[in-house]
Amino acid sequence: MTSPSRPLTPAMQQYQEAKRQYPDALLLFRMGDFYELFYEDALVASRALDLTLTARQKDSAGGGIPMCGVPYHAIDGYMMRLVKLGHRVAICDQVEDPKQAKGIVKREVVRVVSPGTFTDAGYLDAREPIFLAALAPLAIETRATEGRRLLGLATLEPSTGEFTVTELEGDRAVEALGEELRLLRARELLVPAGSDVERLLVDVDRDGLRITAVEPSAFNLDTATRVLLDQLQVAGLQGFGLDGHTAAIAAAGALVHYLRDTQKVDLVHVRGLSWREKRDALIVDNTTLSHLEVVRAIDGSREGSLLHVLDDTTTAMGARRLRAWLLRPLVDVAQVHARLDAVEDLAFRAVERGKLRETLGSVHDMERLVARIALRTAGPRDLVGLRQSLAAVPRVRRIIEALQSPLICELAQGLDELADVRDRIAHTLVDDPPALARDGGLVRDGADGEVDELRGISRSGKQGIAGLEAAERQRTGIQSLKVRFNRVFGYYIEVSKANLHAVPPDYQRKQTIAGGERFITPALKEQEERVLGADERLLVREVEMFDALRQAVALEAPRIQRTATSLAALDVLAAFAEVAARHNYTKPQVHDGDELEIVDGRHPVVERLSREAFVPNDTRLDNTAAQLSILTGPNMGGKSTYLRQVALTCLMAQAGSFVPARQAKLSIVDRIYARVGASDNIARGQSTFMAEMQETASILNTATARSLVVLDEIGRGTATFDGLSIAWAVAEYLATNARARPKTLFATHYHELTDLADALPSVVNAHFTVREWKDQIVFLRKVVPGRSDRSYGIQVARLAGLPRPVIARAREILSGLEQDELQRGGRPSLTGMPRGHDARQQLGLFQTLGPDDKLAERLRSIEIDQMTPLEALALLAELKADLE
């Protein structure tokens, strides 16, 4: 740190003032061509970015202010790295021209970026959203007497302007909060500073989530209301469904306040707000999403998920819309039918579908383009990309004119061609502008008289300089003489050493270089001032025009967003149709009844990734005769795949997609629960069995009669009798609970559970079939009615490569266990034969007769082909008598 005897310079005083405004952010302070970091910020940044650490205002002892810096032209890359590490970064820039500044250059914080607000294209995955969230726990105190908890949650996608709010109430509010944040994969959560909200979040998974404390006043109801009214430009919030939802208003207002404060612009792309109720969509919690691999495979990758299989969209905004539809499928039958009818319309019109997809392929990410324009981070190429995208809108409208489905007609009405915006961009900017406005050369000739005049002066001046080079060569006789330019010295005449003797007296030496000398002349200086003066004024004017154009386009953000929304929906519908046509999906019959029937259903992901032909299967469930199906069968028989495919079929249908089946008649489900496969939470000290029981408890406590439940191997993580007891009780509860009897597929290896079908009329049995052939088992992957009494676990273990002695011993132990025979110490006996009997005489599934066995010898000696039927029967009776 600086010694008290060394007062801070004016620049460092300026830095200290800016840092006081944003103490929890790394402050990047513009000084010339670098952004500098000081004090603790420098120490953090030097480690994070691998920068060399130096010092400013060094004293006699060699100490000083720690400092490191990055070039101003490379700031975006460094900023992205810091944000990815979870830091907030404040950009303190020069807000006046240093050439015109009187005294120290004025600097201000012009932007604060954080994991939830960084919208630069290099940071974002184009096919996934990035959410900033705000939590308002305002009602904890006001409802304490009722023992209830109310949390307001607002989420905003800064890169698109998508803005939603909801409230979470009751004993499960915090759990629901965690589910919502994980579902959205929120990057940053705003909470009131100094509140006890940290206590609420102790059980919330914070992986990749930054918690940012915001001044409590931002969550004040009156303040938040005023901020929202101003942002949405309305007189009241009733039209957004927020009447009486104080916690939601507080969260939404705080979020807008934070975004305004950090981005330093009017958020013209945030002009709408959606109130979201859980009952408005099919609920699929994070556990179910994980088990079904809806958006991520088990290994966390996108490949191998349902999203990966269905994502045949041609635009980034279409890909994000598809993801949103899969995460929040519809529950309204009319809306589901509207989507399915639209997909059917496109599926049977291959020509129109192909043209539509080809045209959409030329559309850029309009949602994020308009957001960058509104946030003033867009460059000239972004605006040209918007113009090119808008040029595709008339073609899209012409293509879909032939389509008849109501939803497509409605989307066509939402397509605004924005000819005025497109024409203004085309009139102002060249077709291939530079990436940054400060590079110049972006305004089209004829767009502005002043630009044309300055450009003419610059061009004529450069031509004059080129002519001056030829004239000087003629005058001096130095044919190698060159007139050159660089940013440090401007224009100069360069003469090699061998020709210095011919330099005229009016040449003024400017610089000595290794190969010669550099000179200027009065005539060259005059031309330079003319050219550089024009270029400087030209650049200022071009930047002014670009800023004005960007601001004008930003004001049209709502129109652009409506068009982008329609294009994204058309993209998803066309992708659904393309996938259905290519992979033989069928249109499901979705209804409000209770019958769920799938004929020849297939798993959409396994079918695509497997090298073997997929074996389709039927499913039938309802709320009376087949409300719960007990599914048994061998290991590796396909039970888990079958459970998942039924759940995914329902989810796909309610998202608006055709389904992988020959026929499908599906009742609307309000929630899908899937407990398939093992999982644990080591970080919280939860074993696989504990995680399983918690997930099962959630199902039993929250499922309704309209829910779909798929359960696999409940109770396997504990002792056999404990597990069987739990599995039986869970299945019985699901089948008999008066409050709710959801449609359920219950896969188990506890074959005793099949007896439930004999006692309860709503329970049915089904099993996967296998065939035994020559000491092998063949998995047929086919579901048939009835029960199975074997799991073939030892055979699967043999296929997995367990040593032969282990397999043999396992068979012996199984034989004893199947006859309930345990020795005094609780260990299984070798066989089920009486004590003293030779264990080797007990035949297993694949066990062959021993060479010393008398019975075996006699059987081998029989000539079956030479026996009459009567002799065979007599021999059989004799053998039976011997055995007895």
Side-chain angles (χ1 to χ4, degrees):
M1 285 301 204
T2 307
S3 169
S5 61
R6 301 279 306 274
L8 293 174
T9 64
M12 289 308 297
Q13 292 176 15
Q14 202 176 50
Y15 168 85
Q16 293 280 25
E17 177 58 33
K19 182 65 180 175
R20 272 193 290 270
Q21 298 175 39
Y22 300 95
D24 64 337
L26 298 178
L27 185 67
L28 291 170
F29 191 73
R30 177 73 179 273
M31 300 186 77
D33 290 337
F34 282 82
Y35 282 100
E36 305 286 3
L37 298 102
F38 301 100
Y39 298 111
E40 185 65 28
D41 288 359
L43 300 176
V44 172
S46 65
R47 291 191 295 267
L49 303 175
D50 195 22
L51 300 175
T52 300
L53 192 65
T54 60
R56 183 180 177 88
Q57 293 188 215
K58 293 183 179 180
D59 54 29
S60 58
I65 301 172
M67 178 182 77
C68 64
V70 297
Y72 83 96
H73 58 80
I75 184 61
D76 289 343
Y78 288 106
M79 208 163 34
M80 179 176 66
R81 289 168 61 185
L82 289 171
V83 171
K84 282 187 173 180
L85 291 171
H87 297 292
R88 293 180 76 218
V89 180
I91 308 299
C92 187
D93 219 332
Q94 298 171 170
V95 294
E96 65 176 336
D97 188 343
K99 296 179 181 178
Q100 300 176 359
K102 296 180 179 179
I104 188 171
V105 177
K106 186 178 180 181
R107 296 178 177 88
E108 292 178 359
V109 173
V110 297
R111 185 183 174 202
V112 180
V113 296
S114 59
T117 63
F118 197 29
T119 58
D120 290 36
Y123 173 69
L124 304 179
D125 182 339
R127 306 184 84 80
E128 291 197 8
I130 173 172
F131 281 102
L132 171 69
L135 174 66
L138 295 185
I140 293 177
E141 294 80 10
T142 58
R143 298 197 174 193
T145 55
E146 303 174 29
R148 305 287 289 175
R149 175 171 289 161
L150 180 66
L151 305 177
L153 180 66
T155 59
L156 192 147
E157 225 278 36
S159 70
T160 64
E162 178 187 345
F163 193 13
T164 60
V165 293
T166 189
E167 286 183 346
L168 310 170
E169 186 173 3
D171 297 335
R172 302 175 63 88
V174 176
E175 180 183 342
L177 170 66
E179 288 282 346
E180 193 74 13
L181 294 175
R182 287 194 299 272
L183 184 70
L184 297 173
R185 301 186 75 202
R187 306 288 184 88
E188 186 174 6
L189 177 65
L190 311 179
V191 299
S195 70
D196 63 348
V197 75
E198 287 288 332
R199 178 177 56 81
L200 294 177
L201 299 175
V202 68
D203 290 327
V204 172
D205 185 358
R206 302 194 199 179
D207 184 29
L209 176 68
R210 176 190 168 91
I211 308 295
T212 301
V214 178
E215 60 271 23
S217 60
F219 289 85
N220 176 270
L221 181 60
D222 292 338
T223 303
T225 301
R226 287 195 300 271
V227 168
L228 283 179
L229 293 176
D230 180 62
Q231 178 61 43
L232 301 175
Q233 297 184 348
V234 293
L237 298 175
Q238 294 85 350
F240 298 97
L242 293 180
D243 193 20
H245 294 294
T246 55
I249 293 172
L255 195 154
V256 170
H257 171 81
Y258 176 82
L259 205 55
R260 282 180 169 182
D261 180 59
T262 57
Q263 304 308 296
K264 309 294 183 182
V265 294
D266 184 13
L267 307 173
V268 295
H269 67 305
V270 183
R271 290 290 187 247
L273 176 64
S274 300
W275 167 257
R276 189 176 69 244
E277 291 273 11
K278 274 200 168 185
R279 61 174 176 268
D280 295 338
L282 166 62
I283 300 173
V284 188
D285 60 34
N286 283 282
T287 299
T288 298
L289 287 174
S290 176
H291 289 319
L292 297 182
E293 300 176 283
V294 175
V295 295
R296 296 280 173 187
I298 291 297
D299 61 2
S301 65
R302 196 171 186 272
E303 187 173 355
S305 67
L306 177 66
L307 176 61
H308 176 71
V309 166
L310 295 181
D311 190 0
D312 207 0
T313 55
T314 59
T315 69
M317 52 191 182
R320 293 194 301 272
R321 184 60 51 85
L322 169 61
R323 185 179 187 274
W325 284 9
L326 291 180
L327 290 178
R328 298 190 186 280
L330 301 169
V331 290
D332 182 89
V333 174
Q335 293 178 349
V336 174
H337 286 168
R339 284 188 188 173
L340 292 173
D341 290 345
V343 173
E344 182 180 39
D345 206 357
L346 287 162
F348 289 98
R349 291 180 178 268
V351 174
E352 287 83 356
R353 185 177 75 247
K355 290 180 179 178
L356 175 61
R357 286 167 54 79
E358 181 182 5
T359 303
L360 289 173
S362 65
V363 175
H364 296 252
D365 194 343
M366 292 172 56
E367 291 177 332
R368 286 187 168 167
L369 283 177
V370 74
R372 289 201 293 274
I373 291 168
L375 295 172
R376 299 180 189 173
T377 60
R381 291 178 184 172
D382 290 325
L383 288 173
V384 170
L386 177 61
R387 188 204 76 202
Q388 293 170 345
S389 301
L390 294 175
V393 175
R395 296 199 298 273
V396 170
R397 296 194 68 166
R398 287 194 297 271
I399 291 168
I400 63 178
E401 280 178 355
L403 303 178
Q404 303 297 321
S405 72
L407 178 57
I408 292 181
C409 294
E410 179 184 333
L411 293 173
Q413 294 298 317
L415 293 174
D416 186 340
E417 296 184 11
L418 290 128
D420 53 335
V421 175
R422 188 175 70 241
D423 292 344
R424 179 164 181 175
I425 297 173
H427 176 73
T428 305
L429 299 180
V430 298
D431 293 336
D432 187 20
L436 303 173
R438 64 172 180 255
D439 293 335
L442 60 145
V443 174
R444 189 183 296 276
D445 286 342
D448 181 73
E450 184 179 350
V451 167
D452 290 344
E453 179 182 356
L454 292 170
R455 194 168 281 162
I457 294 172
S458 175
R459 288 169 180 168
S460 64
K462 290 173 182 175
Q463 290 172 356
I465 290 173
L468 185 145
E469 180 182 79
E472 288 301 309
R473 286 181 179 179
Q474 172 107 22
R475 178 164 80 95
T476 62
I478 304 173
Q479 295 305 310
S480 61
L481 178 148
K482 294 181 176 63
V483 176
R484 292 183 170 173
F485 171 82
N486 68 33
R487 294 183 179 273
V488 178
F489 296 108
Y491 286 94
Y492 54 85
I493 298 171
E494 188 169 295
V495 180
S496 63
K497 285 183 178 180
N499 293 297
L500 289 177
H501 65 280
V503 171
D506 61 333
Y507 274 33
Q508 302 171 19
R509 183 177 284 105
K510 186 75 172 177
Q511 184 185 25
T512 299
I513 58 175
E517 300 278 353
R518 290 174 176 174
F519 304 89
I520 60 170
T521 67
L524 180 60
K525 193 66 177 173
E526 181 181 346
Q527 290 279 25
E528 177 188 72
E529 290 175 355
R530 184 181 183 206
V531 169
L532 295 185
D535 284 347
E536 188 175 319
R537 297 198 305 276
L538 174 61
L539 180 59
V540 170
R541 179 56 185 158
E542 283 193 297
V543 171
E544 286 177 353
M545 290 187 65
F546 174 73
D547 287 341
L549 173 65
R550 186 169 59 185
Q551 183 62 25
V553 174
L555 294 176
E556 305 300 331
R559 294 172 60 197
I560 300 171
Q561 287 171 320
R562 284 193 294 270
T563 296
T565 298
S566 294
L567 290 174
L570 287 169
D571 191 14
V572 179
L573 295 171
F576 279 162
E578 184 70 19
V579 171
R582 192 182 305 157
H583 300 290
N584 194 30
Y585 289 3
T586 189
K587 181 183 180 181
Q589 301 175 45
V590 180
H591 60 92
D592 254 336
D594 69 351
E595 185 180 6
L596 187 157
E597 184 174 6
I598 301 171
V599 179
D600 286 344
R602 314 185 303 274
H603 192 295
V605 180
V606 176
E607 177 187 42
R608 292 274 290 277
L609 300 182
S610 176
R611 297 180 180 178
E612 301 176 1
F614 191 91
V615 179
N617 277 300
D618 299 344
T619 305
R620 177 176 176 79
L621 293 171
D622 56 39
N623 290 111
T624 53
Q627 176 255 324
L628 187 146
S629 177
I630 302 291
L631 185 64
T632 52
N635 288 290
M636 293 178 59
K639 296 192 297 297
S640 296
T641 298
Y642 176 73
L643 296 179
R644 289 184 173 101
Q645 77 186 39
V646 173
L648 288 176
T649 297
C650 294
L651 186 149
M652 289 170 62
Q654 290 184 219
S657 170
F658 281 21
V659 297
R662 183 158 59 86
Q663 293 178 15
K665 184 177 182 182
L666 306 173
S667 59
I668 286 286
V669 296
D670 62 0
R671 184 161 184 169
I672 295 176
Y673 298 88
R675 168 71 208 187
V676 184
S679 65
D680 55 25
N681 194 326
I682 297 174
R684 296 187 194 170
Q686 294 177 356
S687 66
T688 300
F689 182 67
M690 172 58 81
E692 175 187 309
M693 289 298 97
Q694 288 183 336
E695 292 168 14
T696 304
S698 175
I699 294 170
L700 299 182
N701 289 324
T702 59
T704 72
R706 291 169 61 87
S707 301
L708 173 66
V709 177
V710 295
L711 295 172
D712 185 28
E713 305 302 340
I714 291 298
R716 62 185 165 184
T718 185
T720 303
F721 291 158
D722 284 354
L724 172 59
S725 302
I726 292 171
W728 187 295
V730 169
E732 192 175 70
Y733 184 87
L734 288 167
T736 61
N737 180 26
R739 181 185 59 82
R741 295 169 56 243
K743 298 180 185 68
T744 304
L745 292 174
F746 197 107
T748 184
H749 282 294
Y750 295 130
H751 299 112
E752 295 85 351
L753 264 64
T754 58
D755 292 343
L756 278 169
D758 300 329
L760 299 173
S762 63
V763 178
V764 296
N765 286 322
H767 70 280
F768 273 86
T769 55
V770 299
R771 289 291 182 269
E772 300 177 35
W773 175 253
K774 292 184 178 180
D775 200 30
Q776 300 287 334
I777 54 173
V778 179
F779 300 105
L780 302 182
R781 318 283 186 195
K782 197 68 179 176
V783 177
V784 296
R787 69 189 75 196
S788 170
D789 59 358
R790 299 181 62 188
S791 294
Y792 298 93
I794 294 178
Q795 286 72 26
V796 173
R798 184 177 62 80
L799 292 175
L802 264 66
R804 289 181 180 275
V806 174
I807 297 298
R809 176 61 175 157
R811 285 175 177 153
E812 293 175 346
I813 295 172
L814 176 63
S815 177
L817 289 174
E818 286 179 338
Q819 298 191 38
D820 296 327
E821 185 173 307
L822 298 176
Q823 295 176 355
R824 175 174 294 180
R827 297 170 57 196
S829 66
L830 289 179
T831 72
M833 302 298 291
R835 293 189 185 278
H837 191 92
D838 187 352
R840 290 173 296 178
Q841 293 181 4
Q842 176 67 23
L843 302 184
L845 178 64
F846 298 121
Q847 185 175 336
T848 58
L849 293 171
D852 298 329
D853 195 304
K854 294 180 180 180
L855 180 61
E857 290 297 328
R858 188 171 181 187
L859 288 173
R860 290 193 188 98
S861 67
I862 296 173
E863 299 291 340
I864 297 177
D865 295 337
Q866 298 178 12
M867 296 180 69
T868 66
L870 287 176
E871 290 173 337
L873 287 172
L875 175 62
L876 181 60
E878 183 181 343
L879 293 174
K880 181 178 179 183
D882 289 345
L883 288 174
E884 293 176 347

